[in-house]
PDB file of all heavy atoms in Angstrom:
ATOM      1  N   LEU V 580       0.858  -0.162 -15.043  1.00 92.00           N
ATOM      2  CA  LEU V 580       1.300   1.228 -14.925  1.00 92.00           C
ATOM      3  C   LEU V 580       0.751   1.856 -13.647  1.00 92.00           C
ATOM      4  O   LEU V 580       1.446   2.617 -12.961  1.00 92.00           O
ATOM      5  CB  LEU V 580       0.861   2.031 -16.146  1.00 92.00           C
ATOM      6  CG  LEU V 580       1.437   1.565 -17.491  1.00 92.00           C
ATOM      7  CD1 LEU V 580       0.853   2.382 -18.638  1.00 92.00           C
ATOM      8  CD2 LEU V 580       2.958   1.665 -17.476  1.00 92.00           C
ATOM      9  N   TYR V 581      -0.492   1.525 -13.333  1.00 90.00           N
ATOM     10  CA  TYR V 581      -1.094   2.001 -12.090  1.00 90.00           C
ATOM     11  C   TYR V 581      -0.313   1.454 -10.894  1.00 90.00           C
ATOM     12  O   TYR V 581      -0.084   2.138  -9.899  1.00 90.00           O
ATOM     13  CB  TYR V 581      -2.552   1.539 -12.010  1.00 90.00           C
ATOM     14  CG  TYR V 581      -3.528   2.599 -11.546  1.00 90.00           C
ATOM     15  CD1 TYR V 581      -4.549   3.046 -12.369  1.00 90.00           C
ATOM     16  CD2 TYR V 581      -3.443   3.153 -10.280  1.00 90.00           C
ATOM     17  CE1 TYR V 581      -5.452   4.006 -11.952  1.00 90.00           C
ATOM     18  CE2 TYR V 581      -4.338   4.106  -9.847  1.00 90.00           C
ATOM     19  CZ  TYR V 581      -5.349   4.526 -10.691  1.00 90.00           C
ATOM     20  OH  TYR V 581      -6.225   5.479 -10.263  1.00 90.00           O
ATOM     21  N   GLY V 582       0.091   0.187 -11.016  1.00 88.00           N
ATOM     22  CA  GLY V 582       0.857  -0.430  -9.934  1.00 88.00           C
ATOM     23  C   GLY V 582       2.190   0.258  -9.708  1.00 88.00           C
ATOM     24  O   GLY V 582       2.660   0.358  -8.569  1.00 88.00           O
ATOM     25  N   ILE V 583       2.817   0.749 -10.785  1.00 89.00           N
ATOM     26  CA  ILE V 583       4.072   1.502 -10.639  1.00 89.00           C
ATOM     27  C   ILE V 583       3.836   2.775  -9.831  1.00 89.00           C
ATOM     28  O   ILE V 583       4.623   3.129  -8.946  1.00 89.00           O
ATOM     29  CB  ILE V 583       4.665   1.832 -12.020  1.00 89.00           C
ATOM     30  CG1 ILE V 583       5.114   0.544 -12.722  1.00 89.00           C
ATOM     31  CG2 ILE V 583       5.851   2.791 -11.882  1.00 89.00           C
ATOM     32  CD1 ILE V 583       5.571   0.763 -14.152  1.00 89.00           C
ATOM     33  N   SER V 584       2.734   3.459 -10.117  1.00 89.00           N
ATOM     34  CA  SER V 584       2.439   4.677  -9.343  1.00 89.00           C
ATOM     35  C   SER V 584       2.167   4.344  -7.892  1.00 89.00           C
ATOM     36  O   SER V 584       2.489   5.129  -6.993  1.00 89.00           O
ATOM     37  CB  SER V 584       1.246   5.421  -9.957  1.00 89.00           C
ATOM     38  OG  SER V 584       0.012   4.827  -9.619  1.00 89.00           O
ATOM     39  N   PHE V 585       1.600   3.168  -7.623  1.00 86.00           N
ATOM     40  CA  PHE V 585       1.346   2.748  -6.248  1.00 86.00           C
ATOM     41  C   PHE V 585       2.636   2.432  -5.498  1.00 86.00           C
ATOM     42  O   PHE V 585       2.650   2.421  -4.269  1.00 86.00           O
ATOM     43  CB  PHE V 585       0.449   1.500  -6.236  1.00 86.00           C
ATOM     44  CG  PHE V 585      -1.014   1.810  -6.299  1.00 86.00           C
ATOM     45  CD1 PHE V 585      -1.473   3.113  -6.419  1.00 86.00           C
ATOM     46  CD2 PHE V 585      -1.948   0.791  -6.237  1.00 86.00           C
ATOM     47  CE1 PHE V 585      -2.820   3.403  -6.480  1.00 86.00           C
ATOM     48  CE2 PHE V 585      -3.302   1.067  -6.282  1.00 86.00           C
ATOM     49  CZ  PHE V 585      -3.744   2.376  -6.408  1.00 86.00           C
ATOM     50  N   VAL V 586       3.717   2.178  -6.226  1.00 84.00           N
ATOM     51  CA  VAL V 586       5.025   1.965  -5.607  1.00 84.00           C
ATOM     52  C   VAL V 586       5.743   3.298  -5.389  1.00 84.00           C
ATOM     53  O   VAL V 586       6.234   3.596  -4.301  1.00 84.00           O
ATOM     54  CB  VAL V 586       5.896   1.034  -6.474  1.00 84.00           C
ATOM     55  CG1 VAL V 586       7.339   1.009  -5.965  1.00 84.00           C
ATOM     56  CG2 VAL V 586       5.320  -0.382  -6.476  1.00 84.00           C
ATOM     57  N   VAL V 587       5.785   4.115  -6.429  1.00 87.00           N
ATOM     58  CA  VAL V 587       6.607   5.330  -6.416  1.00 87.00           C
ATOM     59  C   VAL V 587       5.990   6.435  -5.559  1.00 87.00           C
ATOM     60  O   VAL V 587       6.677   7.045  -4.726  1.00 87.00           O
ATOM     61  CB  VAL V 587       6.832   5.835  -7.856  1.00 87.00           C
ATOM     62  CG1 VAL V 587       7.549   7.177  -7.848  1.00 87.00           C
ATOM     63  CG2 VAL V 587       7.619   4.806  -8.654  1.00 87.00           C
ATOM     64  N   LEU V 588       4.705   6.716  -5.754  1.00 89.00           N
ATOM     65  CA  LEU V 588       4.089   7.860  -5.070  1.00 89.00           C
ATOM     66  C   LEU V 588       4.042   7.684  -3.545  1.00 89.00           C
ATOM     67  O   LEU V 588       4.396   8.619  -2.815  1.00 89.00           O
ATOM     68  CB  LEU V 588       2.690   8.121  -5.640  1.00 89.00           C
ATOM     69  CG  LEU V 588       2.645   8.508  -7.129  1.00 89.00           C
ATOM     70  CD1 LEU V 588       1.212   8.807  -7.562  1.00 89.00           C
ATOM     71  CD2 LEU V 588       3.537   9.716  -7.409  1.00 89.00           C
ATOM     72  N   PRO V 589       3.646   6.530  -2.999  1.00 85.00           N
ATOM     73  CA  PRO V 589       3.679   6.386  -1.539  1.00 85.00           C
ATOM     74  C   PRO V 589       5.087   6.473  -0.962  1.00 85.00           C
ATOM     75  O   PRO V 589       5.268   6.993   0.144  1.00 85.00           O
ATOM     76  CB  PRO V 589       3.067   4.998  -1.305  1.00 85.00           C
ATOM     77  CG  PRO V 589       2.215   4.755  -2.493  1.00 85.00           C
ATOM     78  CD  PRO V 589       2.956   5.387  -3.629  1.00 85.00           C
ATOM     79  N   ALA V 590       6.093   5.953  -1.688  1.00 84.00           N
ATOM     80  CA  ALA V 590       7.470   6.035  -1.196  1.00 84.00           C
ATOM     81  C   ALA V 590       7.914   7.486  -1.089  1.00 84.00           C
ATOM     82  O   ALA V 590       8.530   7.903  -0.097  1.00 84.00           O
ATOM     83  CB  ALA V 590       8.412   5.260  -2.121  1.00 84.00           C
ATOM     84  N   ALA V 591       7.599   8.284  -2.104  1.00 85.00           N
ATOM     85  CA  ALA V 591       7.941   9.707  -2.060  1.00 85.00           C
ATOM     86  C   ALA V 591       7.149  10.423  -0.971  1.00 85.00           C
ATOM     87  O   ALA V 591       7.679  11.298  -0.273  1.00 85.00           O
ATOM     88  CB  ALA V 591       7.671  10.348  -3.421  1.00 85.00           C
ATOM     89  N   LEU V 592       5.882  10.055  -0.816  1.00 86.00           N
ATOM     90  CA  LEU V 592       5.046  10.690   0.211  1.00 86.00           C
ATOM     91  C   LEU V 592       5.571  10.396   1.610  1.00 86.00           C
ATOM     92  O   LEU V 592       5.590  11.281   2.476  1.00 86.00           O
ATOM     93  CB  LEU V 592       3.601  10.208   0.066  1.00 86.00           C
ATOM     94  CG  LEU V 592       2.621  10.753   1.104  1.00 86.00           C
ATOM     95  CD1 LEU V 592       2.524  12.267   1.027  1.00 86.00           C
ATOM     96  CD2 LEU V 592       1.245  10.101   0.929  1.00 86.00           C
ATOM     97  N   ASN V 593       5.999   9.160   1.852  1.00 82.00           N
ATOM     98  CA  ASN V 593       6.554   8.828   3.165  1.00 82.00           C
ATOM     99  C   ASN V 593       7.743   9.726   3.509  1.00 82.00           C
ATOM    100  O   ASN V 593       7.863  10.217   4.633  1.00 82.00           O
ATOM    101  CB  ASN V 593       6.996   7.355   3.193  1.00 82.00           C
ATOM    102  CG  ASN V 593       5.837   6.404   3.391  1.00 82.00           C
ATOM    103  OD1 ASN V 593       4.773   6.794   3.866  1.00 82.00           O
ATOM    104  ND2 ASN V 593       6.032   5.149   3.027  1.00 82.00           N
ATOM    105  N   GLY V 594       8.615   9.934   2.526  1.00 81.00           N
ATOM    106  CA  GLY V 594       9.767  10.798   2.753  1.00 81.00           C
ATOM    107  C   GLY V 594       9.368  12.241   2.969  1.00 81.00           C
ATOM    108  O   GLY V 594       9.924  12.934   3.827  1.00 81.00           O
ATOM    109  N   LEU V 595       8.389  12.724   2.197  1.00 84.00           N
ATOM    110  CA  LEU V 595       7.957  14.117   2.332  1.00 84.00           C
ATOM    111  C   LEU V 595       7.289  14.359   3.681  1.00 84.00           C
ATOM    112  O   LEU V 595       7.530  15.379   4.333  1.00 84.00           O
ATOM    113  CB  LEU V 595       6.997  14.473   1.195  1.00 84.00           C
ATOM    114  CG  LEU V 595       6.579  15.947   1.113  1.00 84.00           C
ATOM    115  CD1 LEU V 595       7.797  16.841   0.903  1.00 84.00           C
ATOM    116  CD2 LEU V 595       5.566  16.151  -0.006  1.00 84.00           C
ATOM    117  N   LEU V 596       6.458  13.426   4.120  1.00 84.00           N
ATOM    118  CA  LEU V 596       5.807  13.572   5.430  1.00 84.00           C
ATOM    119  C   LEU V 596       6.842  13.568   6.552  1.00 84.00           C
ATOM    120  O   LEU V 596       6.727  14.330   7.522  1.00 84.00           O
ATOM    121  CB  LEU V 596       4.797  12.440   5.652  1.00 84.00           C
ATOM    122  CG  LEU V 596       3.519  12.492   4.813  1.00 84.00           C
ATOM    123  CD1 LEU V 596       2.665  11.261   5.082  1.00 84.00           C
ATOM    124  CD2 LEU V 596       2.729  13.760   5.100  1.00 84.00           C
ATOM    125  N   LYS V 597       7.847  12.714   6.436  1.00 79.00           N
ATOM    126  CA  LYS V 597       8.903  12.662   7.453  1.00 79.00           C
ATOM    127  C   LYS V 597       9.676  13.978   7.487  1.00 79.00           C
ATOM    128  O   LYS V 597      10.159  14.406   8.540  1.00 79.00           O
ATOM    129  CB  LYS V 597       9.841  11.495   7.153  1.00 79.00           C
ATOM    130  CG  LYS V 597      10.840  11.172   8.259  1.00 79.00           C
ATOM    131  CD  LYS V 597      11.629   9.933   7.894  1.00 79.00           C
ATOM    132  CE  LYS V 597      12.705   9.642   8.931  1.00 79.00           C
ATOM    133  NZ  LYS V 597      12.164   9.203  10.216  1.00 79.00           N
ATOM    134  N   GLU V 598       9.777  14.640   6.321  1.00 79.00           N
ATOM    135  CA  GLU V 598      10.461  15.929   6.236  1.00 79.00           C
ATOM    136  C   GLU V 598       9.602  17.054   6.817  1.00 79.00           C
ATOM    137  O   GLU V 598      10.092  17.972   7.458  1.00 79.00           O
ATOM    138  CB  GLU V 598      10.768  16.236   4.766  1.00 79.00           C
ATOM    139  CG  GLU V 598      11.643  17.450   4.550  1.00 79.00           C
ATOM    140  CD  GLU V 598      13.074  17.085   4.221  1.00 79.00           C
ATOM    141  OE1 GLU V 598      13.305  16.122   3.478  1.00 79.00           O
ATOM    142  OE2 GLU V 598      13.969  17.775   4.748  1.00 79.00           O
ATOM    143  N   MET V 599       8.293  16.994   6.594  1.00 80.00           N
ATOM    144  CA  MET V 599       7.390  18.080   6.957  1.00 80.00           C
ATOM    145  C   MET V 599       6.972  18.076   8.423  1.00 80.00           C
ATOM    146  O   MET V 599       6.729  19.133   9.007  1.00 80.00           O
ATOM    147  CB  MET V 599       6.112  18.016   6.101  1.00 80.00           C
ATOM    148  CG  MET V 599       6.292  18.294   4.637  1.00 80.00           C
ATOM    149  SD  MET V 599       4.760  18.021   3.691  1.00 80.00           S
ATOM    150  CE  MET V 599       3.669  19.230   4.461  1.00 80.00           C
ATOM    151  N   LEU V 600       6.843  16.885   9.012  1.00 80.00           N
ATOM    152  CA  LEU V 600       6.174  16.753  10.306  1.00 80.00           C
ATOM    153  C   LEU V 600       7.104  16.264  11.402  1.00 80.00           C
ATOM    154  O   LEU V 600       8.033  15.483  11.141  1.00 80.00           O
ATOM    155  CB  LEU V 600       5.004  15.772  10.186  1.00 80.00           C
ATOM    156  CG  LEU V 600       3.915  16.112   9.160  1.00 80.00           C
ATOM    157  CD1 LEU V 600       2.947  14.953   9.030  1.00 80.00           C
ATOM    158  CD2 LEU V 600       3.187  17.380   9.553  1.00 80.00           C
ATOM    159  N   PRO V 601       6.844  16.675  12.658  1.00 80.00           N
ATOM    160  CA  PRO V 601       7.571  16.091  13.792  1.00 80.00           C
ATOM    161  C   PRO V 601       7.224  14.604  13.916  1.00 80.00           C
ATOM    162  O   PRO V 601       6.145  14.165  13.481  1.00 80.00           O
ATOM    163  CB  PRO V 601       7.029  16.878  15.004  1.00 80.00           C
ATOM    164  CG  PRO V 601       6.411  18.104  14.438  1.00 80.00           C
ATOM    165  CD  PRO V 601       5.919  17.737  13.073  1.00 80.00           C
ATOM    166  N   GLU V 602       8.110  13.837  14.523  1.00 75.00           N
ATOM    167  CA  GLU V 602       7.907  12.394  14.649  1.00 75.00           C
ATOM    168  C   GLU V 602       6.588  12.048  15.323  1.00 75.00           C
ATOM    169  O   GLU V 602       5.904  11.105  14.926  1.00 75.00           O
ATOM    170  CB  GLU V 602       9.069  11.780  15.454  1.00 75.00           C
ATOM    171  CG  GLU V 602      10.426  11.848  14.762  1.00 75.00           C
ATOM    172  CD  GLU V 602      10.605  10.750  13.735  1.00 75.00           C
ATOM    173  OE1 GLU V 602       9.912   9.734  13.823  1.00 75.00           O
ATOM    174  OE2 GLU V 602      11.442  10.923  12.836  1.00 75.00           O
ATOM    175  N   ASP V 603       6.201  12.816  16.354  1.00 74.00           N
ATOM    176  CA  ASP V 603       5.008  12.459  17.113  1.00 74.00           C
ATOM    177  C   ASP V 603       3.713  12.789  16.382  1.00 74.00           C
ATOM    178  O   ASP V 603       2.626  12.452  16.858  1.00 74.00           O
ATOM    179  CB  ASP V 603       5.021  13.141  18.487  1.00 74.00           C
ATOM    180  CG  ASP V 603       5.053  14.659  18.389  1.00 74.00           C
ATOM    181  OD1 ASP V 603       5.235  15.194  17.276  1.00 74.00           O
ATOM    182  OD2 ASP V 603       4.894  15.317  19.441  1.00 74.00           O
TER     183      ASP V 603
END
Side-chain angles (χ1 to χ4, degrees):
L580 298 176
Y581 224 117
I583 293 174
S584 78
F585 274 3
V586 170
V587 174
L588 297 183
L592 178 61
N593 281 340
L595 187 60
L596 289 176
K597 190 175 176 69
E598 188 103 39
M599 293 174 61
L600 302 172
E602 294 279 338
D603 60 351

